Amino acid sequence: MEYLNDGGFRETRYSLIACCRCGLQIEPNPTNMCVDCLRSDVDITEDIPKTSALSFCRSCERYLQPPNQWIKAELESRELLAVCLKKLKGLSKVKLVDAGFVWTEPHSMRVKVKLTVQKEVMNGALLQQVFIVEYVVQSHMCDDCHRVEAKDFWRAVVQIDHKKTFLYLEQLILKHKAHRNTVNIKPMADGLDFFFTKQDDAKKLVDFLSAFVPSRHITGKELVSHDIRNNKFTYKYTFSVEIVPICKDNIICLPQKTAQQMGSINPLCIVLRVTQNIHVIDPNTLQVAELSSANYWRDPFTALVSVKQLTEFMVMEIDLVPDKERPFRPRVSNKHALADVYVARMSDLGVNEIQFHCRTHLGHILKVGDTVLGFDFTNANLNHQHFEKMKSDKVPDVMLIKKVFDNARRMRRRKWKLHRFEGADELDTESVTRDYNDFLNDLEEDQGLRENINIYKDASKITVELEDTDDEGIPQISLQEMLEDLHITEDATGGEGAAMME
């Protein structure tokens, strides 16, 4: 019946009735039963299992989402809740109102979900119930991890030539974790092979290499199997990546057309560094230029002189060239100083008095009595198509490349280290070790080269105090540029069933 209250509004009042089971006074409803009696007669959750199992891969920390998809999910996350709900078969027969996690111990291997559901029962009455479903987390290795553990399954491989430039590239790969999807990394005699289970992952690594170093690649594929019923083919793909065969401190002779495109630089120049581009400098004028990867592969060439062919010279006399006497060039290096130098071969000292005059870009670090590496063109027999086209008056007697420091002292003062690929040390031949030590020396000498590399503190050397304080200008890396080498050796929670660590 409807009544008017004191405010003049209509108010509906129901007369109470007795429950047909227990006699409790209730408001009228289609079943004429109280909630307790209705729940004792009808259970809307009887078709929903109260226990279930979750498949969890410990290697990749992913959960199995039926039927065969593995997804990454944190504890008490939306993704994990979706996986739990899809495991319940009878949930489609009721209306899901709310779902949430009930806290459990992280190491209990149990996940509890609290559900609130509704369903129409006798005569259209709407019944709501709250219950908890318990999931048991079971360890199950996914197919991808099975293949990783087998170490012999792959669908694509990226083969990289092992040049000195690759040492720089190795640090970039480790920093950006470009190898995280690899199944296996196998060192070979002439490089490293990266194995993948998917072709797309291999393509990502190839694109990463092309973005950071001048390189090109060739793709090949091999037929593994063929299903004639559904016409499906299975291939193994091979990506052969070729890095430019030019390294830091190489002497190169540019093609005439390429030299003109680079600002009419002298074709005979020195490689400063190899990053995304090839950076070169003319030691006679301090002119610098960059050669892009596309321009190099359009007209490729090899290095004229490598570091192994250099000779040691001693500086006998040095005079810096004033700015007004320097030849004008549109783009010159501000980090180097032009100087006239008289040098003599170390092997000639005490034997003869032959000296050579040359201009060098190392005037900012050289002084009389220093040892420097250079190349003697007077006694050289070089077979290079672009060098043979140069006039003899354009070729200097000696070209100086880099100053020589005491390697033993540098290694004692080196308080940092680099991370390497697992298994990269298996090919520690004399030449590989020498190239790696030269790369470490280059990092100390060139700040621009180490900007994109993670350098870590060496705890075994960081606390050593050296008695010899005379560094003789030896380049070093400051502590501000080093990162802490973090190693997690034990979980903070300890082993299974262990007490928490404070």
Side-chain angles (χ1 to χ4, degrees):
M1 298 181 64
E2 294 182 353
Y3 298 91
L4 292 176
N5 55 15
D6 297 338
F9 296 99
R10 294 182 179 274
E11 181 179 358
T12 303
R13 297 181 180 177
Y14 296 98
S15 57
L16 299 179
I17 62 174
C19 174
C20 63
R21 288 287 183 86
C22 62
L24 183 66
Q25 295 293 316
I26 59 173
E27 293 183 356
N29 59 66
T31 61
N32 295 329
M33 298 173 61
C34 64
V35 177
D36 295 335
C37 295
L38 187 60
R39 287 178 178 173
S40 63
D41 282 0
V42 180
D43 183 11
I44 62 176
T45 65
E46 60 181 357
D47 295 331
I48 303 175
K50 304 302 185 293
T51 58
S52 185
L54 289 177
S55 297
F56 176 70
C57 179
R58 291 187 175 183
S59 300
C60 59
E61 296 183 353
R62 295 187 299 175
Y63 291 88
L64 175 62
Q65 179 174 318
N68 56 4
Q69 183 182 4
W70 293 84
I71 65 172
K72 190 83 172 180
E74 301 292 336
L75 288 176
E76 299 187 4
S77 62
R78 291 185 176 182
E79 294 79 6
L80 183 57
L81 184 60
V83 173
C84 294
L85 295 180
K86 288 183 178 181
K87 297 284 290 185
L88 302 179
K89 296 182 179 180
L91 200 59
S92 58
K93 299 180 181 180
V94 296
K95 178 182 179 182
L96 182 63
V97 178
D98 187 23
F101 288 97
V102 178
W103 185 86
T104 56
E105 284 286 348
H107 296 286
S108 64
M109 304 300 289
R110 298 290 187 275
V111 175
K112 294 183 178 180
V113 179
K114 184 179 180 181
L115 302 177
T116 303
V117 296
Q118 290 181 350
K119 185 179 181 181
E120 288 188 2
V121 291
M122 306 175 182
N123 301 325
L126 190 63
L127 183 61
Q128 177 173 307
Q129 277 187 266
V130 179
F131 65 102
I132 294 177
V133 179
E134 181 177 340
Y135 296 86
V136 180
V137 180
Q138 299 177 348
S139 297
H140 183 81
M141 185 174 289
C142 63
D143 295 338
D144 294 337
C145 293
H146 264 298
R147 294 163 183 164
V148 171
E149 290 296 327
K151 297 184 182 299
D152 58 354
F153 176 85
W154 56 275
R155 285 280 183 255
V157 59
V158 179
Q159 300 174 343
I160 304 177
D161 290 339
H162 204 307
K163 301 294 183 182
K164 187 177 178 182
T165 306
F166 178 75
L167 297 174
Y168 170 75
L169 184 61
E170 177 186 18
Q171 301 303 317
L172 292 177
I173 294 176
L174 290 172
K175 179 179 179 179
H176 297 276
K177 298 181 180 179
H179 64 301
R180 59 181 176 271
N181 293 326
T182 56
V183 176
N184 189 20
I185 301 177
K186 183 181 297 185
M188 307 298 289
D190 56 349
L192 285 179
D193 291 352
F194 296 80
F195 296 91
F196 299 88
T197 57
K198 297 180 180 178
Q199 180 188 4
D200 294 339
D201 294 335
K203 286 183 177 179
K204 290 180 182 178
L205 180 59
V206 174
D207 295 339
F208 176 84
L209 300 179
S210 302
F212 282 93
V213 293
S215 61
R216 63 180 178 181
H217 68 278
I218 301 175
T219 305
K221 62 181 181 179
E222 178 186 0
L223 180 63
V224 178
S225 62
H226 173 212
D227 192 345
I228 60 176
R229 296 183 179 180
N230 52 20
N231 202 27
K232 286 187 177 181
F233 297 84
T234 303
Y235 293 96
K236 281 188 175 182
Y237 298 89
T238 301
F239 298 86
S240 180
V241 180
E242 180 184 1
I243 305 175
V244 290
I246 295 175
C247 304
K248 186 180 184 300
D249 297 330
N250 285 170
I251 300 177
I252 60 175
C253 187
L254 297 170
Q256 191 63 33
K257 183 177 180 181
T258 304
Q260 293 177 355
Q261 294 175 349
M262 297 170 62
S264 297
I265 192 173
N266 183 16
L268 202 61
C269 50
I270 301 173
V271 179
L272 285 179
R273 71 179 67 92
V274 179
T275 54
Q276 293 91 341
N277 301 318
I278 303 174
H279 303 258
V280 298
I281 185 172
D282 180 10
N284 295 315
T285 61
L286 295 186
Q287 182 180 358
V288 293
E290 296 179 3
L291 179 60
S292 64
S293 176
N295 291 335
Y296 173 83
W297 294 115
R298 190 176 295 116
D299 190 6
F301 56 91
T302 58
L304 180 64
V305 178
S306 64
V307 180
K308 298 179 181 179
Q309 299 173 266
L310 300 182
T311 308
E312 288 190 352
F313 292 86
M314 176 173 284
V315 179
M316 310 304 293
E317 185 180 346
I318 180 170
D319 294 319
L320 294 178
V321 177
D323 293 343
K324 60 182 180 180
E325 297 183 8
R326 291 193 314 184
F328 173 77
R329 290 295 183 271
R331 184 183 176 189
V332 296
S333 174
N334 297 324
K335 298 180 180 180
H336 302 84
L338 193 63
D340 287 319
V341 184
Y342 287 89
V343 296
R345 284 190 292 259
M346 295 290 291
S347 59
D348 291 344
L349 296 179
V351 179
N352 56 56
E353 297 181 358
I354 299 177
Q355 295 186 9
F356 302 94
H357 170 265
C358 64
R359 278 200 169 182
T360 180
H361 63 295
L362 303 176
H364 60 297
I365 58 175
L366 290 183
K367 61 181 182 294
V368 177
D370 285 346
T371 304
V372 61
L373 286 177
F375 185 74
D376 184 4
F377 283 95
T378 60
N379 296 325
N381 184 12
L382 300 174
N383 184 14
H384 195 277
Q385 58 176 344
H386 304 303
F387 180 74
E388 293 174 353
K389 298 178 182 178
M390 292 189 63
K391 297 181 179 180
S392 58
D393 58 341
K394 298 293 184 180
V395 180
D397 293 338
V398 172
M399 183 175 287
L400 303 182
I401 306 300
K402 60 190 296 186
K403 182 179 177 180
V404 178
F405 298 95
D406 187 357
N407 285 330
R409 183 173 296 177
R410 293 184 72 167
M411 294 182 66
R412 289 199 307 267
R413 290 182 172 274
R414 189 168 292 155
K415 303 177 182 179
W416 54 275
K417 61 181 179 179
L418 299 176
H419 287 174
R420 301 293 306 277
F421 285 134
E422 183 179 357
D425 298 334
E426 295 180 3
L427 296 177
D428 271 346
T429 61
E430 183 179 353
S431 60
V432 173
T433 303
R434 183 174 59 250
D435 290 342
Y436 182 68
N437 290 331
D438 291 341
F439 175 67
L440 298 182
N441 295 338
D442 294 340
L443 290 180
E444 292 177 336
E445 298 170 5
D446 192 349
Q447 183 178 1
L449 186 64
R450 61 178 184 262
E451 286 180 351
N452 298 324
I453 292 179
N454 287 340
I455 298 175
Y456 299 91
K457 297 179 182 178
D458 193 346
S460 61
K461 296 182 179 180
I462 203 71
T463 58
V464 177
E465 296 182 0
L466 300 178
E467 298 178 358
D468 186 9
T469 58
D470 184 15
D471 57 1
E472 298 182 357
I474 296 178
Q476 298 182 15
I477 298 179
S478 62
L479 290 176
Q480 289 77 10
E481 300 179 69
M482 303 180 193
L483 301 175
E484 294 289 347
D485 191 12
L486 180 61
H487 291 285
I488 302 177
T489 57
E490 186 176 2
D491 190 1
T493 56
E496 185 174 356
M500 296 286 289
M501 298 174 60
E502 297 182 358

